[in-house]
Amino acid sequence: MGAEVTTRTGEPVLMKGNEAIAQGAIDAGCRAFFGYPITPQNQIPDYMSLHMPEVGGVFVQAESEVSAINMVYGASAAGARAMTASSSPGIALKQEGISYIAGAELPAVIVNVARGGSGLGNIAPAQSGYFMSVKGGGHGDYRTLVLGPWSVQELYDFMFDAFDLADRYRTPVVLLADAVLGQMMEPMRFDREPVDPAALPPKPWTTTGAKGRKRNIVNSLYIVAEDLEAVSRRIQARLDEAHKEVRWEGHQLEDAEVAFVAYGTAARVCLTAMEIARSQGIRAGLLRPITLYPFPSEAVAELAGRVRALLVVEMSLGQMVEDVRLAVNGRVPVELHGRTGGVVPTPREVYEALAGVQEVAGR
Amino acid sequence: MGAEVTTRTGEPVLMKGNEAIAQGAIDAGCRAFFGYPITPQNQIPDYMSLHMPEVGGVFVQAESEVSAINMVYGASAAGARAMTASSSPGIALKQEGISYIAGAELPAVIVNVARGGSGLGNIAPAQSGYFMSVKGGGHGDYRTLVLGPWSVQELYDFMFDAFDLADRYRTPVVLLADAVLGQMMEPMRFDREPVDPAALPPKPWTTTGAKGRKRNIVNSLYIVAEDLEAVSRRIQARLDEAHKEVRWEGHQLEDAEVAFVAYGTAARVCLTAMEIARSQGIRAGLLRPITLYPFPSEAVAELAGRVRALLVVEMSLGQMVEDVRLAVNGRVPVELHGRTGGVVPTPREVYEALAGVQEVAGR
Amino acid sequence: MGAEVTTRTGEPVLMKGNEAIAQGAIDAGCRAFFGYPITPQNQIPDYMSLHMPEVGGVFVQAESEVSAINMVYGASAAGARAMTASSSPGIALKQEGISYIAGAELPAVIVNVARGGSGLGNIAPAQSGYFMSVKGGGHGDYRTLVLGPWSVQELYDFMFDAFDLADRYRTPVVLLADAVLGQMMEPMRFDREPVDPAALPPKPWTTTGAKGRKRNIVNSLYIVAEDLEAVSRRIQARLDEAHKEVRWEGHQLEDAEVAFVAYGTAARVCLTAMEIARSQGIRAGLLRPITLYPFPSEAVAELAGRVRALLVVEMSLGQMVEDVRLAVNGRVPVELHGRTGGVVPTPREVYEALAGVQEVAGR
Amino acid sequence: MGAEVTTRTGEPVLMKGNEAIAQGAIDAGCRAFFGYPITPQNQIPDYMSLHMPEVGGVFVQAESEVSAINMVYGASAAGARAMTASSSPGIALKQEGISYIAGAELPAVIVNVARGGSGLGNIAPAQSGYFMSVKGGGHGDYRTLVLGPWSVQELYDFMFDAFDLADRYRTPVVLLADAVLGQMMEPMRFDREPVDPAALPPKPWTTTGAKGRKRNIVNSLYIVAEDLEAVSRRIQARLDEAHKEVRWEGHQLEDAEVAFVAYGTAARVCLTAMEIARSQGIRAGLLRPITLYPFPSEAVAELAGRVRALLVVEMSLGQMVEDVRLAVNGRVPVELHGRTGGVVPTPREVYEALAGVQEVAGR
């Protein structure tokens, strides 16, 4: 696969989601990948093990997920664009490490090709990792920026955004995908200019480690409570500033009387369901959050002001719905259609759920 | 300490919070403790290592936090009342294991004597582990029941409740304390009858492991998505049923025009601040959630119907405030006074924050 | 199995080797077992997990072999008769821990139900762990006492000896078995009186850990080289004293003109081969070392003074043969018949090897 | 340091032993280093972390010693010249991994900058890791080739030999140094031509991992005992062939009536002691084994035929002395002067020991 990919003709290429993530990372200047195997994301380390050496990058299969995320910590402290990838249980194991990276004010990219849980669960797609991505699944007040792609093209493109956001706000960034996105093949274009890591802006805070150069220390230890509070507020201020990066996409919201709110794979299902609804005379729309943190609360609130109800569709028992309700703050009913455990809802069932919401709200 | 403790005269005893937790666990029938050292909870494993053998229980200092939580998993599968204790970073490391226990529908008790974060942070008290306790910090749709004690007496008493709830709903239960509660000494009474583990109701689902007995398998693997969904819904149904266990406490809410919502150490501060406010002519009250999951949403909503504003006080940059806002759903303003990084707010500053809220809301 | 075992009628019982080891340990007063699964020794932890709780003992399946041996270290420092069991690769992982236990002058019992190697190898019987048991497979000048049983009865009996030797000489003791011995069933008698751990001689060096009692520290750190040398010599002096514990067994050595030297399973094969040889007019004998460290060098040297040659038979490419040659010191030829990788030599091939040696030596 | 090193003027450079090892490895074509910190070898990973990236190589600080050696396994299977370095306890932890590499018939270089033991011991120099290097400290019948340098120049030069031997015989090679050699500074020359890894002979057995290329599997699993035996004999045959690589060095052996046998740091001491002895009229010599496995048995045996006694000097309680005795096979007395725990014997004490041996042997 690698060779063809490098011929950037601008023509559409058929590519698997996980490979698009990996190539996207390399093109975005990532030169340090640390992973540990878990289905359904194994094509990412496979691809990295093959192609990282070609660009002088480092691929390490670590002893464990805990080890992998701490290697990301180290590589990032040394200035590299560094990442790890895993799936739900593996991401849970990385929570402490992510908190350390956040507390040390370091950039990093963490890819979650989510699968069904809790526990061992299965290897089918799921969105039940929303909470642990968006609320900060580890300890402390940190959050991570979270991107929710819905296509192979976005898997590729968002790797550029993820590394840029990470560097800009010195924060871990989570790319929250799922098994459908990771395993599907779609035509896509390599239409972004590869990043030369050497040409990136300098990071004056990195550990240079060498004689004669300025000595930096990267740490997350602050014995005095007031010091730690100051750092936590500085980190939060950066995250607040990152709210200007909020992204979402509207589909036929102009005349909508009722609207879906969904991200990722669930949003793809909703788009089809929306068309069914329109064909049935229901003026449905779709608001797709792209950044899950920062969440497009203003857009949701604005939309709530002009529809009769919102239907949140999630491949979970209800996680993003809380952020939608917080944004709506009681203005209109916010209903949930949730499937879990690896079940992807069908457009038909989602349409029917919408029709039910519309009927109740329409009275 | 141990010997005196066993003389249950009903007289108040001066006891350290962490020791009250440990003795509470033993009295509640816990016979399997697995830990790994971390400040500020080290008195718990210390106490356990000394006193568990006296009751024929098992104390193991594991190789790591990951190992400890998986030993809890194993001991619980075998039918024991099993627990672990740690502090914030250690709890983050346990998230995958907690998700496995939840997915395997097993009881377990996890104590978090929380400290400042993110990352290494410090060893001062914090409430920034609310999200990872209440939203399910690991992967999947599980939640854990969460108790938020505010006194040494409650640290002891709630261990009984934690083990009972865990068994009744076959779920992990988190006792969410902090460094203040763990380290403080307060008079308390051992006024609950010690539990004889042999007299507890049988658990027909345990792995008996022996010839001639029914063979059970404990697992969280469900290859077929619909099967996993069914299990996830069954687990959620138990959690929904557990909403009847919701507990909270009101202080002078009858005539309140403005009220604090706070738990644990922050609630202690608010109680004093409330008295200051009352002395200044502000009719302040305090609603203290005791169960953090299930959250006392109905009580908060009811209160929101008769006050002008709520002030959430947290030792974090704002986590429980989301659950309060979800409950209030726009009825009245919900403000936040949050300190983080190990800083405990003073009654004075909290009173002033309330006065500000009251002034704005009173217009 | 457990129940029958406790009826000590003195009648022969048919028992599997691994179970005899486990019951022997329990009867010898072992109350702390730490293991990690590996074939062909899994019946040991199985048995322990079932029966340890019956005697108030502790069974822990650790996170890894490294973790298990360090738990043995801890339990032994606290005064318990503690053990671990594994098979060849697992024992290799424990080498550092064994060196620590030796350096800390602690008793411990390590059972190796050896299998074919190097590497993953297979699960067939092997004696290629002789070197790493007898020469001290870890770092430093320590040795471990090593027992080489050859029957199920000895597997049981030697557990008493192992724990006694360990306590007497404050040293790790290795029971070196193999997959044949571990898996075979043989009649045996429980004719040793179970040890009450509470009735064992006090160990004044244990870490008592409690207020008001003498404070001991167990460690193997000696910054000053001369101090460490003194400790190493003290440890070696104990091992030298343990040379009085040397044990071996002779079979028809009185009139032997040529003799086998073999231990464990290989010695069983040699015993049959010896009978074949005798039936063919060759006056063969067998010297079976029982303690492998201390090695019965004097007995071998004495024997070398009155036979024409020795044939060492090992299920390895030649390890014990070095100790035999060191003992013989050039007096007579010492030949090797070695099979490896899990192959157990047949009596016929061993007889033929002996016949060849006899022919050459007889010239 | 790095920059100057690359100017290969042929002029003597003053270099620290550990750095000479690291630069030697890089010059020998090593492009994959996996380590974990331990004194007194930390300059090796330090140097590697700095200079490996300059040549496109990989430096990883792993989660543990166990992890590091298994990364060497992986990198070597993929065709890289790979190494790890540690000190005594760390090498003990690597024993299982070394056995796996040996069983998988892979090249690898393991550096042991040995320190005092057993256990934690101290950070002073020691030779008590001879057994675990030379006898195969892990499980199975494997051995490793072992080189025993005695100068900074040899530390550098032998890295070339180590990697060449490893590749030629598809076996792990141990460079057995100690804290004196690792920490000392000596003038040395970079007089060997750096190896271009791309110009090395192809390794047709590597895992290429890519479509369209031959698929190799690297493993050490052989379920059938006879298969494993065949592999073990094949490995041993290679080691037997490697006996032609035996190296040793004689000092004034031509007219010696008594001789030291010593390697590494101990040999340096003996060289001085030899001069003292000569000045006192004792015709002393020194035989310094350079390859410790294969051991120069023929040279030692030949020497034993013409001296009255041998004195083995070791910084241990006696390990190499066994190989000397096996070689001498009773011809002349072989005495030991051993110091341990980090003590380096003085030339004077060693001379006196020799004088005593000479006196007894001379009678």
Side-chain angles (χ1 to χ4, degrees), chain C residues 75-346:
Chain C
S76 176
R81 287 199 150 179
M83 73 175 287
T84 189
S86 190
S87 184
S88 306
I91 298 293
L93 279 165
K94 293 179 199 288
Q95 297 287 20
E96 187 225 18
I98 296 172
S99 174
Y100 271 70
I101 294 171
E105 301 172 76
L106 290 176
V109 173
I110 298 106
V111 172
N112 183 0
V113 183
R115 57 186 252 184
S118 317
L120 199 46
N122 57 34
I123 58 172
Q127 294 184 321
S128 48
Y130 181 91
F131 271 148
M132 78 168 169
S133 303
V134 163
K135 301 296 173 191
H139 60 289
D141 273 314
Y142 80 99
R143 302 287 185 100
T144 56
L145 303 184
V146 184
L147 301 176
W150 79 336
S151 66
V152 173
Q153 183 70 53
E154 284 191 355
L155 289 176
Y156 175 78
D157 289 342
F158 285 11
M159 293 308 293
F160 288 77
D161 302 326
F163 280 103
D164 286 347
L165 290 168
D167 279 356
R168 196 173 309 141
Y169 299 100
R170 292 180 60 178
T171 180
V173 176
V174 172
L175 186 88
L176 186 56
D178 64 50
V180 165
L181 293 168
Q183 297 297 325
M184 78 191 301
M185 296 193 81
E186 269 186 343
M188 55 154 295
R189 280 190 169 81
F190 295 103
D191 46 11
R192 298 195 48 164
E193 192 62 29
V195 170
D196 174 6
L200 287 168
K203 300 175 176 175
W205 41 263
T206 55
T207 54
T208 59
K211 255 182 285 186
R213 282 182 269 175
K214 184 172 155 245
R215 184 162 169 262
N216 287 317
I217 292 177
V218 173
N219 205 342
S220 63
L221 174 70
Y222 300 94
I223 295 297
V224 178
E226 285 72 19
D227 294 348
L228 181 56
E229 182 172 53
V231 171
S232 298
R233 290 196 188 280
R234 178 170 73 205
I235 292 172
Q236 186 57 47
R238 279 201 209 101
L239 294 173
D240 290 344
E241 194 198 331
H243 273 77
K244 71 183 180 205
E245 311 283 354
V246 75
R247 289 169 63 184
W248 59 278
E249 195 175 76
H251 294 263
Q252 298 193 244
L253 292 179
E254 298 73 14
D255 66 343
E257 53 188 338
V258 64
F260 292 110
V261 185
Y263 74 98
T265 294
R268 291 173 77 113
V269 176
C270 289
L271 193 67
T272 307
M274 183 190 79
E275 284 157 14
I276 300 175
R278 290 263 165 185
S279 75
Q280 300 297 316
I282 300 175
R283 280 181 282 117
L286 164 63
L287 189 155
R288 174 170 78 95
I290 293 174
T291 52
L292 303 179
Y293 186 92
F295 191 74
S297 302
E298 292 76 10
V300 169
E302 188 275 336
L303 178 62
R306 53 195 178 83
V307 294
R308 281 192 288 197
L310 294 174
L311 178 61
V312 175
V313 178
E314 288 187 80
M315 283 145 58
S316 84
L317 291 177
Q319 301 192 1
M320 185 179 70
V321 67
E322 291 199 1
D323 281 333
V324 176
R325 286 189 177 132
L326 284 168
V328 170
N329 204 21
R331 283 186 199 85
V332 290
V334 177
E335 303 300 329
L336 168 73
H337 183 75
R339 299 302 301 269
T340 193
V343 177
V344 181
T346 64

Side-chain angles (χ1 to χ4, degrees), chain D residues 178-226:
Chain D
D178 64 51
V180 165
L181 294 167
Q183 296 298 326
M184 79 192 301
M185 297 193 80
E186 269 186 342
M188 55 155 296
R189 281 193 168 77
F190 295 103
D191 46 11
R192 299 200 41 169
E193 190 64 27
V195 171
D196 175 6
L200 288 168
K203 300 175 176 176
W205 41 264
T206 55
T207 55
T208 59
K211 256 182 284 188
R213 281 183 268 176
K214 182 168 158 253
R215 183 162 168 264
N216 287 317
I217 292 176
V218 172
N219 205 341
S220 63
L221 174 69
Y222 300 94
I223 295 296
V224 178
E226 284 72 18

